Amino acid sequence: MAGDAEQLSDQAQLWSQLAVAGDTRSFAGSWLVLLCEQVPEVERAILLLGEPDRGPFTPAAVWPADQPAAHLADAAGLVLEQRAVQVTDLPAEGSDDRVQAIGYPVLLADVLHGVLVVQLKRDAVPSRQQVIRNLHWGMGSLRYHLDRRRIDECQQAKARVFSVLDLVAVAIETDRFQGAASALVSEMASNLDCLRVSLGLRRGSRIDVVAISDNATFGRQMNLVRLLGAAMDESVDQESAVRYPAQDDRHVVLAQQALAQQQGA
């Protein structure tokens, strides 16, 4: 009885984690455990997810978490190629025996998001059609999560587009370049909640700062303008966005560091 109560408590926790999962990998971990515990014929399982229709598809969840499942990942290739349920024989992990696995594609509106591969227990082969039906029903909640994430991403992309259009509208309200540049950086600072936004243009081999959202600064603090230009040059020279503090050692950030120190950041 105590064991049953503990199992119910664990499942309730997993369902709670499933409901509040903020990202797909967190969702996938709880989802796979719940699915496998409800399909007793499953011995091991792996869920591969990736960029829709492109990949690469990498492990998002493994069950049991402490058991090797590389041989199941190898079985996913045919499912990804055929985009259909596949039943295959595999060499058992660590022995010469053969085991049976079922691969199930994760499809959403005919777009391939990944594949689920489960290894069946040796005495479960006669019931594999029932296993496939259970996987089909269990796949519904995963598809719902992926579809919700897709809608959220579309809404975020739409919001970014509208934000850009708002900036364009602000910039074209004035006929003169300097006025448009000043309006643009001021609007960006407001919309993005930035302390300061600066705009530079490349002239010859260097960047000239042409607008700063804090208009009172421009012209009064020429040292700041010089440091901003140097930081912009540093980014352009490396042909890459540069941030400070640096997240790795791939970029030179000396000018960014000098700017941050001058500003007390």
Side-chain angles (χ1 to χ4, degrees):
M1 293 293 291
D4 291 342
E6 184 176 349
Q7 183 178 10
L8 287 173
S9 176
D10 290 343
Q11 287 190 347
Q13 184 177 3
L14 286 168
W15 280 109
S16 297
Q17 292 172 354
L18 203 67
V20 301
D23 61 86
T24 296
R25 289 193 176 270
S26 298
F27 182 93
S30 299
W31 174 83
L32 187 61
V33 174
L34 286 167
L35 176 68
C36 293
E37 288 182 349
Q38 294 178 52
V39 185
E41 296 88 351
V42 172
E43 186 171 34
R44 296 183 189 180
I46 186 169
L47 175 65
L48 306 175
L49 296 174
E51 187 69 21
D53 266 350
R54 292 193 302 179
F57 298 99
T58 57
V62 175
W63 182 86
D66 59 347
Q67 295 293 322
H71 63 300
L72 297 182
D74 294 340
L78 187 60
V79 182
L80 294 172
E81 180 183 342
Q82 300 293 327
R83 302 166 70 98
V85 175
Q86 302 290 329
V87 179
T88 57
D89 286 329
L90 300 172
E93 188 75 22
S95 75
D96 295 330
D97 294 338
R98 306 289 294 183
V99 296
Q100 197 162 85
I102 298 174
Y104 201 108
V106 182
L107 290 166
L108 185 63
D110 291 329
V111 176
L112 184 66
H113 287 256
V115 59
L116 169 68
V117 182
V118 300
Q119 175 182 319
L120 301 182
K121 296 177 181 176
R122 286 177 173 80
D123 58 354
V125 173
S127 58
R128 68 186 185 193
Q129 288 301 322
Q130 182 60 44
V131 173
I132 293 174
R133 284 193 287 271
N134 288 336
L135 296 181
H136 174 76
W137 284 107
M139 198 66 70
S141 56
L142 178 60
R143 291 197 190 99
Y144 174 78
H145 169 80
L146 294 173
D147 192 38
R148 187 181 64 184
R149 295 287 295 180
R150 180 185 62 82
I151 292 172
D152 289 344
E153 290 170 359
C154 288
Q155 290 176 338
Q156 292 169 7
K158 185 184 295 185
R160 289 194 294 269
V161 170
F162 281 120
S163 178
V164 171
L165 291 176
D166 287 342
L167 292 174
V168 172
V170 167
I172 64 176
E173 284 181 353
T174 178
D175 295 335
R176 296 185 178 276
F177 170 78
Q178 192 59 52
S182 297
L184 176 65
V185 294
S186 296
E187 188 71 12
M188 289 183 68
S190 176
N191 289 353
L192 302 176
D193 196 23
C194 296
L195 181 63
R196 178 182 296 118
V197 173
S198 307
L199 175 65
L201 293 181
R202 186 165 191 167
R203 290 170 178 163
S205 60
R206 56 190 290 272
I207 299 293
D208 282 347
V209 179
V210 297
I212 301 176
S213 57
D214 180 5
N215 285 323
T217 298
F218 206 21
R220 285 197 303 106
Q221 298 187 28
M222 294 311 297
N223 186 48
L224 172 60
V225 174
R226 180 183 60 80
L227 290 171
L228 284 169
M232 293 177 182
D233 283 332
E234 188 174 68
S235 178
V236 171
D237 289 343
Q238 297 176 81
E239 298 182 345
S240 175
V242 178
R243 62 181 297 177
Y244 180 83
Q247 301 299 301
D248 50 51
D249 57 0
R250 293 183 304 150
H251 298 116
V252 176
V253 293
L254 296 178
Q256 315 292 325
Q257 183 180 24
L259 175 62
Q261 290 175 345
Q262 195 269 353
Q263 293 296 292

